[in-house]
Amino acid sequence: MGHGSSPSGSPGQRVQSIPSWSRWHHRLHRSLLAAPQLLPPGAALLVAVSGGQDSLCLLRLLQDLQRLHHWSLQVFHGDHRWRPDSAANAAHVQSLCATWGLPCHLEVADHLPSEAAARQWRYDRAIALCRHLGCGQLVTGHTATDRAETLLFHLCRGSGSRGLGSLRPQRQLAPGLQLIRPLLPFSRQDTLQCCQALKLPIWPDASNGDQRLARNRIRQRVLPELEQVNGAAVAHMAACAQQLAEESDLLDQLAREALATMVANQSTSLIPQALAALPRALASRCLVHWIRDHTGRDPDRRQLNQLLLSLSHPKTTDQTMALLDGGWRLRWRGGCIHLQRGEP
């Protein structure tokens, strides 16, 4: 559908044309119709807006599509005070929201020592704001490019399918609150072209050029090289991440079903023969779920490999197999594997 065409297939009925209807409006509209659980009609949405191209593209498209889906829209901006221009950035977002007639909620941080701390602070403040405003969806502008970068980042860290398949379209942040990423079908080039076509005032983030940050090195050095190998590399990696997420979910389901036959009443003991009879991938996932359920922690890859290797050589004597974080240990006793809480 070209620029200026009226949308079709809208919820319930045909509607009047949206001013400046574009191919990006059409793509997002059709994507949301295909996955109505992401942003249900009439939902109260809090949109996280940094002022960069992705979040501005998201906000403008959602506002234009609002009459089709009947959402209520409010904006959240977190000023982490990392950059000298952060206050001006916040004022820019507030001014834009005032011009567009959208409520804007600004949160300002006191001191954030790291990128990870800044990220956690933004989510904590956004969750609190969603609860205060009664919003069931926190919406962010992550794209397929972000998903490809995340896959590469976790690949370098040695993550398994769960990590490689992260940055999903939807995940629970808190009871009754979902994090939604409706722009995952878009690339960063798409959001830039959308902003340029709709003449949206992008606020440039100077920290994106900081080569000390691993994500920036992946973004500026690694991805361009991969796109030289294959121009559709970003789309392919994003699709791969989605497939890995779906396969990881299936493996989780199978692991839960298998565990239900091995333990009773949240038992802290497992029968090694039952685990050893499973395919390695499923046995591994069973161990991860069992340990996480009781300790709140995941075993690292080295510990997991040692545990899997020991399944084929059960111990006849009482001895420790592995020491876990938080003072937990795995022990062989009576031909079974036991989780015990010991001295840290």
Side-chain angles (χ1 to χ4, degrees):
M1 184 177 294
H3 180 90
S5 302
S6 58
S8 61
S10 55
Q13 60 181 352
R14 292 179 62 86
V15 294
Q16 294 180 348
S17 174
I18 290 177
S20 300
W21 182 263
S22 68
R23 60 189 175 97
W24 298 285
H25 290 86
H26 180 68
R27 281 179 59 185
L28 182 57
H29 178 57
R30 300 302 300 182
S31 175
L32 293 175
L33 289 180
Q37 76 282 0
L38 291 182
L39 299 177
L45 313 181
L46 182 65
V47 186
V49 176
S50 67
Q53 67 182 58
D54 298 338
S55 62
L56 285 194
C57 170
L58 171 67
L59 183 60
R60 183 53 183 270
L61 294 182
L62 290 180
Q63 186 181 31
D64 288 347
L65 295 176
Q66 188 175 14
R67 70 183 68 180
L68 305 186
H69 299 264
H70 312 292
W71 308 304
S72 66
L73 293 178
Q74 301 193 61
V75 173
F76 162 71
H77 178 80
D79 179 2
H80 45 63
R81 291 191 170 181
W82 265 21
R83 307 190 318 267
D85 66 343
S86 69
N89 185 174
H92 173 75
V93 172
Q94 288 180 304
S95 175
L96 187 63
C97 289
T99 300
W100 291 359
L102 293 171
C104 181
H105 305 273
L106 172 65
E107 296 281 346
V108 181
D110 290 329
H111 174 70
L112 300 170
S114 67
E115 181 186 18
R119 179 180 180 275
Q120 188 59 51
W121 172 82
R122 286 194 298 271
Y123 276 116
D124 289 344
R125 299 314 306 154
I127 290 171
L129 189 56
C130 282
R131 288 172 173 160
H132 176 70
L133 298 173
C135 296
Q137 284 82 16
L138 173 65
V139 192
T140 66
H142 292 101
T143 66
T145 310
D146 293 304
R147 200 170 197 185
E149 292 170 358
T150 301
L151 183 146
L152 292 171
F153 181 74
H154 284 302
L155 185 64
C156 293
R157 296 177 61 191
S159 298
S161 59
R162 182 187 301 277
L164 298 178
S166 59
L167 214 66
R168 299 169 176 232
Q170 178 178 4
R171 73 175 176 91
Q172 181 172 297
L173 278 178
L177 176 59
Q178 297 290 320
L179 174 64
I180 307 295
R181 301 180 175 107
L183 289 190
L184 287 184
F186 289 58
S187 70
R188 192 169 292 128
Q189 185 62 27
D190 289 328
T191 63
L192 177 59
Q193 291 176 356
C194 177
C195 288
Q196 291 172 339
L198 300 181
K199 296 181 171 56
L200 305 182
I202 299 170
W203 187 274
D205 185 349
S207 67
N208 286 337
D210 187 349
Q211 293 292 304
R212 293 172 298 178
L213 301 178
R215 283 188 178 274
N216 287 345
R217 294 196 295 275
I218 291 173
R219 177 175 301 177
Q220 297 176 23
R221 298 180 185 178
V222 179
L223 269 187
E225 289 295 327
L226 292 177
E227 288 176 318
Q228 290 294 317
V229 175
N230 188 318
V234 165
H236 292 328
M237 283 187 284
C240 179
Q242 179 62 30
Q243 181 177 343
L244 287 167
E246 294 169 359
E247 292 174 355
S248 181
D249 288 345
L250 176 59
L251 199 56
D252 281 337
Q253 179 184 341
L254 295 174
R256 287 294 184 187
E257 294 172 357
L259 270 178
T261 68
M262 300 180 204
V263 299
N265 301 320
Q266 296 296 310
S267 172
T268 55
S269 301
L270 278 180
I271 302 172
Q273 292 84 352
L275 274 178
L278 297 175
R280 178 183 171 88
L282 187 54
S284 174
R285 193 63 63 104
C286 285
L287 279 170
V288 168
H289 280 296
W290 180 63
I291 293 171
R292 183 192 299 138
D293 288 346
H294 291 287
T295 71
R297 295 171 168 83
D298 288 350
D300 61 35
R301 178 169 293 183
R302 178 186 56 81
Q303 292 170 329
L304 200 55
N305 286 335
Q306 288 177 346
L307 292 173
L308 291 170
L309 183 62
S310 70
L311 291 177
S312 57
H313 305 284
K315 305 293 188 296
T316 57
T317 58
D318 182 3
Q319 61 178 285
T320 298
M321 298 167 62
L323 297 176
L324 306 174
D325 291 340
W328 289 89
R329 64 184 63 200
L330 282 171
R331 299 182 66 89
W332 281 104
R333 191 175 71 242
C336 291
I337 305 171
H338 297 265
L339 261 175
Q340 292 182 341
R341 188 71 179 267
E343 292 299 322

